[in-house]
Amino acid sequence: MSVARTWRTRRQRYSLVGERCEYCHNAIFPPRDVCPHCAEPAQKEYTMSGRGTVYSYTTVFDPPAGFEAYAPYPVALVKLDEGPMVTAQLTDLDPDDVRIGMPVEMVTRKLSEQGDEGVITYSYKFRERLERQAVAA
Amino acid sequence: MRPVYIVGIGQTPVGEQWERSLRHIAHDAVIPALRDAGVEQVDALYVGNMLSGELVGQEHVGALVADFVGLRGVEAYKIEAACGSGGAAMRTGVMAVAGGLHDVVVVAGVEKMTDTIGKDTTAGLAMAADQEFEAAEGVSFVALNALLMRRYMYEFDVPHSAFGHFAVNAHHNATGNPNAMFPKAITLDTYRKATMISDPINLMDSSPICDGAAAVVLASEEVARTMHNGRRPIRIAASTVATDSLAVHDRRDPMQLEAAWISSRKAYQQAGVTLDDIDLFELHDAFTIMAALSLEACGYAERGRGVRLAEEGEITIEGRVPVATMGGLKARGHPVGATGVYQIVEATLQLQGLAGRNQVRDANIAMTQNIGGSGATVATHILVGE
Ligand SMILES: [Zn+2]
């Protein structure tokens, strides 16, 4: 992504800032200004907790340009506790351990690097929820 | 609205056309279509194409192709809706003729995907997805379909091997299509042993990267009546496009192709037909999971039961719902922006009794459905042989 585009979406990538619709009260992520549920204007900021569960997952072996250095890497659709779903990489886990329904939480990790001189992009990734690991142990 | 007829068709073999550029490939489909229709001049040219800018460095493809096929001067432009570009171009051509603005138009679909290396093609295809919140996270287009397939298998308790029937059927049918990229039969065993590319999607779940072009000439009823190529007149009884969210994660229910539902229901209504009237269905089997979801969205199967149709042999040429009758996206090939027009060409051949040993018996009504991205644009057409 371009520097400007990375900068523009920084609050989403670093802290999952979305919106909550004032008309139908649905949480929205990423922010989109018109509520996808009721089509009313949606501009009230709302920050997601970063907690959710795995809706589905896979592994990218054949990455698009820019991600070659990281392949293979696991990706998932994560259903946030507040309702919205996000597409993100999974991290800090063995891909073989991922299961649908697994509780996960958002962390900030390096997403990509554009060469030695280029911008380094950080974004949300999701790891298995730590408290659950503690309980399991 | 005026009735619209297909009066000429053309297509190139699908594959890796190292010796032909984008413009040449388009030429190789448009010229045969014009010749087939017996016309030299048309009112407009609409070119379905997805990735000319990204993979060939060439935009402004409408004027380029018009000039290159001897139609300099006509109205021409590129229509883009990701892998649904061909279907969207078709819809544009139908609107122009049905609305009375033009009497004869050419609709072409063309794609050149083999001039770039793998990772760049992969990044290009990911442009069909939400660039800021899907592709930006490193998710490829194949991976998006893998996410859908994994969830489908989990939610409806379907084993991966069940999807193999879609691939086996497509490859079997491709052996009877001289323009197919993979005219080679496979078995369920071939399917099960295929290389994994993004689990659970393996190479045999996935359509190939390739070059190709297809074209049709559309005419008003008045003009079509003056043309006599001796073949059965084909009327476009329905032409619809519907949309959904670009991103899978924004869908109300990712297991339901809502745009395919809307687009097909509008098409049945326009054509005044029910599912039972349709003799074959050229669906968008870019991945086996898409074939299953399309069958469900169009009403052929309950939610989670689309794979059953394939397992039970209903999708073969002799079956109740023949799909991918000339190989489909899987085995004819999927030159993305051209695919929607290939589907129309193949459905026309079926309705005219020219499908050779792939002929669906007594084919009178055919449906085609072209899907852009993971389901964000869906173009459905119903053709009727008169
Ligand atoms: Zn709302």
Coordinates of all heavy atoms in Angstrom, one line a residue, chain A residues 20-26 28 34-42, ligand 1:
Chain A
R20 N -20.4 2.9 15.3 CA -21.7 2.3 15.7 C -22.8 3.1 15.1 O -22.8 4.3 15.2 CB -21.8 2.2 17.2 CG -23.0 1.4 17.7 CD -23.1 1.2 19.1 NE -22.2 0.2 19.7 CZ -22.5 -1.1 19.6 NH1 -23.5 -1.6 19.0 NH2 -21.7 -2.0 20.2
C21 N -23.7 2.5 14.4 CA -24.8 3.2 13.8 C -25.8 3.7 14.9 O -26.2 3.0 15.8 CB -25.6 2.2 12.9 SG -27.1 3.0 12.1
E22 N -26.1 5.0 14.8 CA -27.0 5.6 15.8 C -28.4 5.3 15.6 O -29.3 5.5 16.4 CB -26.8 7.1 15.8 CG -25.4 7.5 16.4 CD -25.3 9.0 16.5 OE1 -24.9 9.7 15.5 OE2 -25.6 9.5 17.6
Y23 N -28.7 4.7 14.4 CA -30.1 4.4 14.1 C -30.5 2.9 14.4 O -31.4 2.7 15.1 CB -30.4 4.7 12.6 CG -30.2 6.1 12.2 CD1 -28.9 6.6 11.9 CD2 -31.3 7.0 12.3 CE1 -28.7 7.9 11.6 CE2 -31.1 8.4 12.0 CZ -29.8 8.8 11.7 OH -29.6 10.1 11.4
C24 N -29.6 2.0 14.0 CA -29.9 0.6 14.2 C -29.0 0.0 15.2 O -29.1 -1.2 15.6 CB -29.9 -0.2 12.9 SG -28.3 -0.5 12.2
H25 N -28.0 0.8 15.7 CA -27.1 0.4 16.8 C -26.1 -0.8 16.4 O -25.4 -1.3 17.3 CB -27.9 0.1 18.1 CG -28.8 1.2 18.4 ND1 -28.3 2.4 18.8 CD2 -30.2 1.2 18.4 CE1 -29.4 3.2 19.0 NE2 -30.5 2.5 18.8
N26 N -26.0 -1.2 15.2 CA -25.1 -2.2 14.8 C -23.6 -1.6 14.8 O -23.4 -0.4 14.4 CB -25.3 -2.7 13.4 CG -26.4 -3.8 13.4 OD1 -26.2 -4.9 13.9 ND2 -27.5 -3.5 12.8
I28 N -19.9 -1.3 13.2 CA -19.5 -1.4 11.9 C -17.9 -1.3 11.8 O -17.3 -0.5 12.4 CB -20.0 -0.2 11.1 CG1 -21.6 -0.2 11.1 CG2 -19.5 -0.2 9.6 CD1 -22.2 1.2 10.7
V34 N -21.8 5.0 5.6 CA -23.3 4.7 5.5 C -23.4 3.3 6.1 O -22.7 2.4 5.7 CB -23.7 4.7 4.0 CG1 -25.1 4.2 3.8 CG2 -23.6 6.1 3.4
C35 N -24.4 3.2 6.9 CA -24.6 1.9 7.6 C -25.0 0.8 6.6 O -26.0 1.0 5.9 CB -25.7 2.0 8.7 SG -26.1 0.5 9.5
P36 N -24.3 -0.3 6.6 CA -24.6 -1.4 5.7 C -25.9 -2.1 6.1 O -26.5 -2.9 5.3 CB -23.4 -2.3 5.7 CG -22.8 -2.1 7.1 CD -23.1 -0.7 7.4
H37 N -26.4 -1.9 7.3 CA -27.6 -2.6 7.8 C -28.8 -1.8 7.5 O -29.8 -2.4 7.1 CB -27.4 -2.9 9.3 CG -26.2 -3.7 9.6 ND1 -26.1 -5.0 9.5 CD2 -25.0 -3.2 10.1 CE1 -24.9 -5.4 9.8 NE2 -24.2 -4.3 10.2
C38 N -28.8 -0.5 7.7 CA -30.0 0.3 7.5 C -29.9 1.4 6.5 O -30.8 2.2 6.3 CB -30.5 0.8 8.9 SG -29.4 2.1 9.6
A39 N -28.7 1.6 6.0 CA -28.4 2.6 4.9 C -28.5 4.1 5.4 O -28.6 5.0 4.7 CB -29.3 2.4 3.7
E40 N -28.6 4.2 6.8 CA -28.6 5.6 7.3 C -27.1 6.1 7.5 O -26.2 5.2 7.5 CB -29.3 5.6 8.7 CG -30.8 5.3 8.7 CD -31.6 6.4 8.0 OE1 -31.1 7.5 7.9 OE2 -32.7 6.0 7.6
P41 N -26.9 7.4 7.6 CA -25.5 7.8 7.8 C -24.9 7.2 9.1 O -25.6 7.2 10.1 CB -25.6 9.3 8.0 CG -27.0 9.7 7.4 CD -27.8 8.5 7.6
A42 N -23.7 6.8 9.1 CA -23.1 6.2 10.3 C -21.8 6.8 10.5 O -20.8 6.5 9.7 CB -23.0 4.7 10.1
Ligands
ZN1 ZN -27.8 1.2 10.9

